[in-house]
Amino acid sequence: MTSTDELRELARKCRVHIVNMVHRAQAGHPGGSLSEIDLLAALYKTTLRVRPDDPDWDDRDRFILSKGHASPGMYAILAEMGFISVDDLASYRVLGGICQGHVDMKWCPGVDFSAGSLGMGLSFGMGSAIAGRLEGSERQVYVMLGDGEIQEGSVWEAAMAATHHELGNLNVILDRNRIQNDDFCEAQMRMFDIPAKWKAFGWNVKEIDGHNMEEIVDGLNFLQNSNDGPSILIAHTVKGHGVSFMADNPAFHGAAPNDEQYAQAMAELGEVVA
Amino acid sequence: MTKMAATRDGYGEALLELASNPKVVVLEADLGKSTKSLHFRKAHPERTVSCGIGEQNMLLVGAGLAASGYIPFASTFAIFTERAFEQMRNGVARPNLAVHVCGSHGGTHTGTDGSSAQSIEDLAIYRTLPNVIVMHPSDVVSTKVLTMQLAATVSPSYTRTARNKTPVLYEGRENEIEIGKGIVLKEGSDVAIIACGVMVSQSLEAAEALTAEGINATVVDMHTLKPLDGELVDRLVSSCGAIVTAEDHSVIGGLGGAVAEHLTSNTFAPLERVGVQDRFGESGQADEMLEVMKISAPYIAEAAKRAIARKA
Ligand SMILES: Cc1ncc(C[n+]2csc(CCOP(=O)(O)OP(=O)(O)O)c2C)c(N)n1
């Protein structure tokens, strides 16, 4: 078992990669990458049955980053897990690079879905879950959704269908960072009682602090062990978590730090920049 | 130095000026900072409807407003308007409700976001809808003028704007711009290059290179793809006898498609279509994408020579 201290260190390293990527590209989405990364680090390290040396292994668990703009977070953990190399991270948003602006299954090993258009991943995950069931496999499907993303109607079509089909192997992790593109969710589209909405659709629901490793590990156990129907882990997070000036700041949804901000971010993440 | 500006800013400026008409309302889907409707939202929050990340809802809210006498302008990225295509078809175009949709960040020129964000089919799909005006202006000034003219039309519309800056072409020439009328930017008798959007300035560059080789090209900014300025196309056929179309869009169904359809039913002339060759894009800078897709100025010039060689 990986200790929560080790998970925290893994997440810290991923944060460094994330900031490096968006700074180098001078574009991209740091905010939602930093909010999701503690969850991704724990998911990949403790839960997902995947093989970095055989990324297309048929019976692997599936992970679908539906909020595909938060790709730096996914590329960072794929590099730390050995699906891709740390050098590959330099190809983020570069012509011909495997790290495309939005995660793309045709370009990058370990990516199970070509995302970038919000509201598509849960339906795709449902298809993957039905395929697993048809094959009599125990494999699980995990879909990461953004809280802005769940404003898309298609998410709720999938949410309804998943309970109708009793897909116990389908799991959602919701990155509840309270910020979307233009502003706070509260200003753009109030969603009121999100847990109640999923409960009303028949889902198993658990809420955690998405930056507390003990709670995250606990939450992932909940997803793995509730197989009587689809389950959702609502992770309360802070967009931009780990970099003070990005934290809870809508301006860093889709903006890169300048050189000065970059140096500050690296210092805050405990990294010495040459 | 050529002055540069993004067409999406022209959209934002037009909305602000249109605000003096109390019937004008603005609809957003969490991309107002990007499409530039945010200026209107700041000035007139009471007439701005946030639809969250819900494009399908947004278009039909627009239809309801239009049917109640309002003039709705709804925007998101070009690609995400497409999610609401059937809403546009059945709820907007079919009842002929004047909802004005603006799709920003169109084409491969939008850059490093990659293929999921690069709409290369929007002009084609909206062109298939009865009643819908389809435009792709080339510069910030014409975008502003054309958007303002939309407020007086009784038809729904789709206008594609671009994310990145392109040369400003029409400063002081505002009164030459009219929905449905192509603009001749340069006259020549060997070949006519008909372009839209970011490809207009590429076409002007191509024409300059051709002049150095003794080839005189006409360059037309066909900002309105539908209704197509067929009279102008007919004139180009008789004056030049060879046509090139240039667009940051699939060669299937967009400007090239529209001109091809026109030519087959009218006077014929050889046509070379410069555009995206039935493939998806990828992450790259705007100028790199024009090279990857083989649609930058040198490729237009080559196409011009091919078209001339095909003259009977
Ligand atoms: C269908 C669709 N509409 C709009 C967008 C543009 N967009 C990209 S990210 C984003 C905000 C997403 O917010 P959220 O889901 O909360 O993600 P996070 O905050 O975790 O980055 C928007 C509107 C998109 N990618 N897809």
Side-chain angles (χ1 to χ4, degrees):
Chain A
M1 264 309 281
T2 317
S3 74
T4 46
D5 279 340
E6 286 167 320
L7 291 176
R8 272 185 283 272
E9 173 57 14
L10 176 61
R12 186 197 66 83
K13 281 197 216 152
C14 289
R15 285 194 161 85
V16 172
H17 294 319
I18 291 167
V19 175
N20 268 325
M21 270 181 269
V22 293
H23 176 253
R24 206 183 289 118
Q26 279 302 297
H29 297 88
S33 294
L34 291 168
S35 61
E36 78 193 358
I37 199 61
D38 292 318
L39 297 154
L40 291 190
L43 178 72
Y44 272 85
K45 204 72 189 174
T46 70
T47 306
L48 279 187
R49 289 167 49 258
V50 287
R51 297 175 178 166
D53 55 353
D54 184 12
D56 297 329
W57 171 41
D58 281 343
D59 204 35
R60 69 189 184 281
D61 284 348
R62 301 298 198 270
F63 173 66
I64 293 144
L65 182 70
S66 188
K67 42 169 235 168
H69 59 280
S71 55
M74 180 147 187
Y75 297 138
I77 191 65
L78 288 179
E80 285 296 329
M81 296 296 294
F83 284 90
I84 59 176
S85 74
V86 170
D87 287 346
D88 286 327
L89 300 179
S91 78
Y92 175 57
R93 288 183 176 257
V94 172
L95 187 65
I98 65 168
C99 295
Q100 293 283 299
H102 294 76
V103 289
D104 195 312
M105 65 197 285
K106 290 289 176 208
W107 284 82
C108 187
V111 172
D112 285 332
F113 177 55
S114 296
S117 180
L118 296 167
M120 295 196 175
L122 187 53
S123 301
F124 182 92
M126 179 173 162
S128 312
I130 291 173
R133 186 159 74 187
L134 287 172
E135 281 159 35
S137 166
E138 297 286 296
R139 68 180 185 246
Q140 296 278 317
V141 178
Y142 298 87
V143 181
M144 164 82 69
L145 299 177
D147 51 359
E149 177 177 23
I150 66 170
Q151 293 160 7
E152 284 288 357
S154 55
V155 171
W156 300 98
E157 295 179 19
M160 189 184 307
T163 24
H164 175 74
H165 292 283
E166 298 172 14
L167 291 170
N169 55 351
L170 182 61
N171 308 282
V172 165
I173 303 172
L174 179 70
D175 184 0
R176 177 71 173 119
N177 62 28
R178 300 166 39 256
I179 295 176
Q180 46 195 93
N181 184 75
D182 276 0
D183 206 338
F184 286 88
C185 302
E186 205 56 20
Q188 293 299 102
M189 181 58 61
R190 287 174 297 160
M191 288 177 283
F192 303 100
D193 192 340
I194 292 175
K197 286 187 161 73
W198 288 91
K199 278 180 201 147
F201 275 71
W203 285 57
N204 300 313
V205 179
K206 185 176 171 72
E207 290 183 76
I208 58 161
D209 172 349
H211 299 306
N212 178 318
M213 262 320 160
E214 285 74 20
E215 287 193 32
I216 292 174
V217 170
D218 213 38
L220 293 172
N221 281 332
F222 155 81
L223 291 182
Q224 268 185 305
N225 296 324
S226 27
N227 292 327
D228 55 333
S231 307
I232 179 169
L233 189 62
I234 300 177
H236 296 275
T237 57
V238 174
K239 199 155 175 170
H241 186 77
V243 177
S244 61
F245 58 89
M246 293 186 182
D248 213 26
N249 180 359
F252 279 96
H253 164 75
N258 62 29
D259 291 346
E260 200 179 314
Q261 291 169 324
Y262 171 70
Q264 186 188 335
M266 284 295 142
E268 289 182 12
L269 292 170
E271 203 68 0
V272 186
V273 187
Chain B
M1 266 295 283
T2 331
K3 202 165 145 187
M4 304 284 282
T7 52
R8 58 183 169 137
D9 284 311
Y11 177 73
E13 289 168 25
L15 293 186
L16 259 192
E17 285 204 21
L18 285 170
S20 58
N21 179 345
K23 291 292 184 194
V24 169
V25 289
V26 164
L27 276 56
E28 295 189 330
D30 196 32
L31 281 171
K33 279 202 282 197
S34 305
T35 69
K36 298 300 171 189
S37 63
L38 84 162
H39 306 301
F40 185 101
R41 183 211 313 158
K42 279 193 185 134
H44 306 279
E46 75 294 346
R47 271 193 280 151
T48 306
V49 185
S50 168
C51 297
I53 309 174
E55 298 80 9
Q56 297 177 316
N57 185 46
M58 175 168 75
L59 283 213
L60 293 175
V61 170
L65 281 159
S68 308
Y70 284 87
I71 307 172
F73 283 81
S75 68
T76 176
F77 283 6
I79 194 77
F80 305 130
T81 67
E82 294 179 19
R83 162 164 312 202
F85 178 70
E86 204 248 341
Q87 277 80 358
M88 181 77 170
R89 192 264 185 200
N90 268 330
V92 175
R94 195 165 55 101
N96 198 13
L97 295 165
V99 177
H100 302 296
V101 179
C102 174
S104 75
H105 294 56
T108 63
H109 195 256
T110 203
T112 67
D113 271 349
S115 60
S116 71
Q118 296 166 348
S119 67
I120 48 171
E121 60 289 307
D122 51 330
L123 302 172
I125 63 173
Y126 293 116
R127 230 169 48 75
T128 63
L129 297 180
N131 299 325
V132 176
I133 295 169
V134 179
M135 302 197 294
H136 183 19
S138 62
D139 88 330
V140 68
V141 177
S142 54
T143 305
K144 181 175 174 184
V145 171
L146 291 165
T147 302
M148 293 189 59
Q149 289 177 8
L150 283 176
T153 63
V154 292
S155 307
S157 68
Y158 173 77
T159 304
R160 182 211 269 194
T161 61
R163 173 185 191 272
N164 295 308
K165 292 181 178 174
T166 48
V168 179
L169 302 173
Y170 294 104
E171 213 159 39
R173 299 173 60 180
E174 285 80 355
N175 50 14
E176 294 173 39
I177 302 158
E178 189 187 333
I179 294 174
K181 292 266 171 270
I183 301 171
V184 179
L185 288 170
K186 182 184 172 306
E187 296 262 18
S189 54
D190 295 323
V191 61
I193 306 170
I194 305 176
C196 60
V198 302
M199 297 299 284
V200 171
S201 53
Q202 294 291 325
S203 299
L204 287 168
E205 231 180 86
E208 217 169 283
L210 287 168
T211 309
E213 296 183 48
I215 297 170
N216 291 312
T218 288
V219 177
V220 168
D221 177 355
M222 196 63 92
H223 50 71
T224 306
L225 283 81
K226 190 181 180 184
L228 185 74
D229 189 348
E231 253 171 58
L232 176 56
V233 176
D234 291 340
R235 261 198 285 137
L236 297 172
V237 169
S238 57
S239 63
C240 300
I243 310 272
V244 172
T245 54
E247 62 200 308
D248 181 10
H249 182 279
S250 172
V251 288
I252 301 169
L255 180 61
V259 171
E261 288 159 20
H262 182 85
L263 293 181
T264 48
S265 318
N266 296 274
T267 334
F268 194 74
L271 168 68
E272 291 288 326
R273 290 167 299 149
V274 175
V276 177
Q277 299 292 331
D278 200 20
R279 57 158 289 187
F280 287 108
E282 61 190 273
S283 288
Q285 301 296 335
D287 49 346
E288 290 175 334
M289 288 317 297
L290 300 189
E291 297 306 319
V292 170
M293 293 300 168
K294 299 188 163 52
I295 58 178
S296 62
Y299 293 102
I300 301 170
E302 272 176 40
K305 289 183 214 164
R306 285 200 305 274
I308 293 168
R310 286 173 54 201
K311 283 197 212 184

